[in-house]
Amino acid sequence: AHDAQIKIILVDAHSMEETTVQVSSSTMLKTIFSNYAEENKTSVRSLRFSYCRRTLFLTEVGSKSLSDYEMSNLDKITITNMKKPKPKAHEPTAEKNVPNFPNGIAPSKKPCMPKKK
């Protein structure tokens, strides 16, 4: 299925609120990010996106689709709004800690980096 319909979960790094979007695997990441920014009445430039603990830069995702990153159903993209004050309770040290995997899938099982063609 080249153009499969999948759900991507966008996680707000501050509130931990999850927004699920249904998209096609050929959808450009930039489109998803722009729509999210619009819905949250903010600039896409003030947001930071990360997938599998790797930052997705806007310049980098410009022409890439979800399938380029091998994203699959119910994958999570963490979104940090740089304009919001950082939460005091948990400083963003998520880069060092392994995130929780409620379904028990360890990050090592899934290739997070695009395969070299």
Side-chain angles (χ1 to χ4, degrees):
H2 172 63
D3 213 15
Q5 287 292 311
I6 58 173
K7 287 188 170 87
I8 293 293
I9 301 166
L10 305 173
V11 186
D12 182 315
H14 293 279
S15 66
M16 298 317 285
E17 205 174 290
E18 296 187 355
T19 308
T20 307
V21 291
Q22 180 147 0
V23 289
S24 145
S25 57
S26 63
T27 302
M28 295 295 169
L29 280 169
K30 207 174 190 176
T31 307
I32 296 171
F33 296 169
S34 300
N35 290 350
Y36 180 89
E38 218 167 277
E39 278 164 33
N40 289 274
K41 296 176 176 53
T42 186
S43 154
V44 75
R45 302 243 165 259
S46 66
L47 301 174
R48 289 290 170 273
F49 304 92
S50 62
Y51 170 64
C52 282
R53 291 177 291 154
R54 169 174 175 239
T55 303
L56 302 170
F57 296 101
L58 287 173
T59 48
E60 180 192 314
V61 301
S63 57
K64 289 197 164 68
S65 68
L66 287 111
S67 54
D68 287 326
Y69 283 98
E70 293 182 8
M71 290 186 189
S72 52
N73 201 34
L74 302 180
D75 271 359
K76 290 186 178 183
I77 295 177
T78 304
I79 302 176
T80 309
N81 189 334
M82 306 313 267
K83 291 209 168 117
K84 281 187 190 170
K86 287 195 174 82
K88 294 273 182 292
H90 53 277
E91 284 299 297
T93 49
E95 296 303 311
K96 290 177 195 74
N97 306 329
V98 177
N100 297 325
F101 288 86
N103 50 4
I105 298 169
S108 58
K109 291 219 175 78
K110 181 164 182 253
C112 282
M113 306 296 280
K115 283 197 184 82
K116 297 275 176 284
K117 290 199 164 66

